[in-house]
Structure formats: structure tokens, C-alpha cells
Amino acid sequence: MSESKLAGQFFDAAIGLLQRVRDEESAHIAAAGELIADAVASGNRLFAFGAGHSSLPAQDVVYRAGGLALMNFLAVPGTAGVDVMPATLGSALERVDGLASAVLDSSPAAAGDVLVIISLSGRNALPVEMAMNARALGLKVIGVTSVAYATETRSRHVSGGFLKDHCDIVLDSKIAVGDAELALDGIDAPFAPASTVVTSAIMQSVMAAAAGSLAERGIEPPLLRSGNVDGGHEWNGRVMTEYGDRIFYRH
């Protein structure tokens, strides 16, 4: 099989997943957008969290041209990327009990705020505990996960539950267990993960829905412009000044 054919198969797989999510999760995506718009309109704050590669879609909506200026990354040290050495430490930290509560307690997140938690498997202690503790503090929780893991794997949290069990809204990425879309004779392991493509699209769709909901209410969405277009820096400076009390990535 040619390399180009494999590449095309990956695109087909990713497009198929995107179409499934668009068709099957549209109501949940709209509801998530409304929840975020509610928080913006009522003066509350927005946060996104993900560990490992699930941090990538969370980071993609923070300080993002075309995105909501109010979305903040809730960082858990050592889990947000492969820049940690050794990289395997991040995976180990996802299984540590008590870490999420320590992070939340020292964060600015408070009752009425919205926290988007991204975890492909939703089975590790960190995202499960993050969701449980956030809701206990009065936050609204949106979970972005693959629901399939809840029926095909075991939870690693002491409760036996998954991320999807502790959310106000669940967005199912439809990613198959193992996160690899292709297989080929002569290659022993499946390959070509699509979770980042799909989950990032989910996050951007939610942000778009939130912006639309705010506009319908007569509220100008606090969006950032690209700093690489004329006037972008000035625009962003005004937005950040107006909403400075809800933007934490500048401090």
C-alpha cells in the first residue's frame, strides 16, 4: 500500500469521526455553548483542563485568535505537555489521588464558573477527581471524552467512576478505545490517532456556539483578533483591559 493511500485513509477516518460528532453531538455542543455564554454574561470565569495530549485541545482555546479571551488554562504542573522530562511523568501524575483538589484549591476557580475537562479515556484519577471536586465547589463542568472507554475499560479512580459520570454536560468524541485509526499488515501496532483533530474541532465548535449565543442576547462576545493583522494588538488590548479581572494567563 502506498504512503499516500494510508494518508488518505487517515483523512477519511478523521472526516468520518467529525461528521459523526457533528450529527450526534450537536444538541450537547449547543448546550455547552449556552453554558459558557451564561458564565460570560453573568460575570463568571471560564477554564479548560486537559492532561497529556488531551491538554492540546484545551490549550487551543486559550489566548487564541478568533477565540474567547476569557478562556483560561487550568494548569496542573507536570501534566500539560511532553516538555516534562521524563515525558512519562505526566502519565504517572494523572493517576495520583489528591492532585486535582490541590490544584483547584489554589486556583481562582469559584462557584458559578465553567470548567471544561478534556480526557480521552476519562478513566484516570486526575480528570475524574477534577470533575468531582469542581462540581462540589459549585462550578459547572463540561466533559469532553470518549464514552466508549467507560464500557470497554476499568476506571483508575477509587470511586470506580469515569469523567462522564461527574459532568453537567458530556461531549462524546466517538474515538475508539486505543485512539488509532489505521492498521496494516507488517505493522504490529495500530497507528494514526485522531483524537486531537476531533477534540479540537469539538472545542472550537463549542466556542462558536457560545459566541453565537452571546450575540443573540445582544452581548458582544469578548473575542481576540490575530496579532498578525493590522489593529489586532490594539483590539486585544482593549478586550483584555475590559475583562482583565477574568483573564488569568497574563499574570
Side-chain angles (χ1 to χ4, degrees), residues 56-69:
L56 299 178
Q59 293 181 54
D60 192 47
V61 295
V62 176
Y63 187 47
R64 187 70 162 85
L68 290 174

Side-chain angles (χ1 to χ4, degrees), residues 12 23 45 67 71-72 100-101 108 120 123 134 151 162 171 179 239 251:
D12 290 342
D23 296 342
R45 288 79 62 85
M71 184 60 75
N72 300 279
S101 59
L120 177 61
R123 69 188 296 227
T151 57
F162 286 76
L171 306 178
D179 191 18
V239 171
H251 301 162

Side-chain angles (χ1 to χ4, degrees), residues 8 36 39 48-49 52 72 82 119 131 158 175 187-188 204 217 235 248:
I36 288 174
F49 164 76
N72 300 279
V82 295
S119 174
V158 64
I175 301 294
I187 299 179
D188 291 338
Q204 294 297 347
R217 306 176 195 199
W235 172 280
F248 304 103

Side-chain angles (χ1 to χ4, degrees), residues 25 34 39 41 52 68 76 84 86-87 89 104 132 144 186 216 227 246:
E25 296 297 304
E34 288 289 331
L68 290 174
V76 178
V84 178
L89 175 63
L104 280 170
M132 294 175 70
V144 187
E216 288 180 355
R246 292 191 266 171

Side-chain angles (χ1 to χ4, degrees), residues 41-251:
S42 60
N44 293 106
R45 288 79 62 85
L46 307 175
F47 299 90
F49 164 76
H53 286 93
S54 289
S55 75
L56 299 178
Q59 293 181 54
D60 192 47
V61 295
V62 176
Y63 187 47
R64 187 70 162 85
L68 290 174
L70 305 192
M71 184 60 75
N72 300 279
F73 186 63
L74 185 63
V76 178
T79 69
V82 295
D83 57 329
V84 178
M85 295 297 175
T88 50
L89 175 63
S91 298
L93 289 173
E94 287 187 64
R95 305 180 190 183
V96 174
D97 292 325
L99 185 55
S101 59
V103 169
L104 280 170
D105 288 345
S106 60
S107 79
D113 295 345
V114 173
L115 173 59
V116 183
I117 300 176
I118 303 169
S119 174
L120 177 61
S121 72
R123 69 188 296 227
N124 289 309
L126 184 55
V128 175
E129 182 184 287
M130 188 74 77
M132 294 175 70
N133 288 1
R135 292 182 87 191
L137 291 172
L139 279 77
K140 297 294 185 181
V141 175
I142 299 168
V144 187
T145 187
S146 169
V147 172
Y149 277 83
T151 57
E152 299 181 37
T153 69
R154 288 185 178 182
S155 170
R156 288 179 174 143
H157 187 253
V158 64
S159 69
F162 286 76
L163 170 60
K164 74 172 187 65
D165 301 320
H166 304 285
C167 300
D168 296 280
I169 298 172
V170 176
L171 306 178
D172 184 3
S173 65
K174 316 295 181 181
I175 301 294
V177 172
D179 191 18
E181 294 301 318
L182 303 182
L184 184 68
D185 289 342
I187 299 179
D188 291 338
F191 55 99
S195 60
T196 304
V197 173
V198 175
T199 306
S200 292
I202 291 173
M203 292 297 291
Q204 294 297 347
S205 72
V206 171
M207 297 302 106
S213 177
L214 287 167
E216 288 180 355
R217 306 176 195 199
I219 299 172
E220 177 72 25
L223 297 169
L224 295 174
R225 290 181 179 268
S226 171
N228 295 312
V229 300
D230 292 342
H233 285 299
E234 292 77 11
W235 172 280
N236 293 341
R238 289 193 297 271
V239 171
M240 289 183 180
T241 297
E242 182 177 351
Y243 292 93
D245 60 332
R246 292 191 266 171
I247 297 173
F248 304 103
Y249 50 80
R250 302 181 70 204
H251 301 162

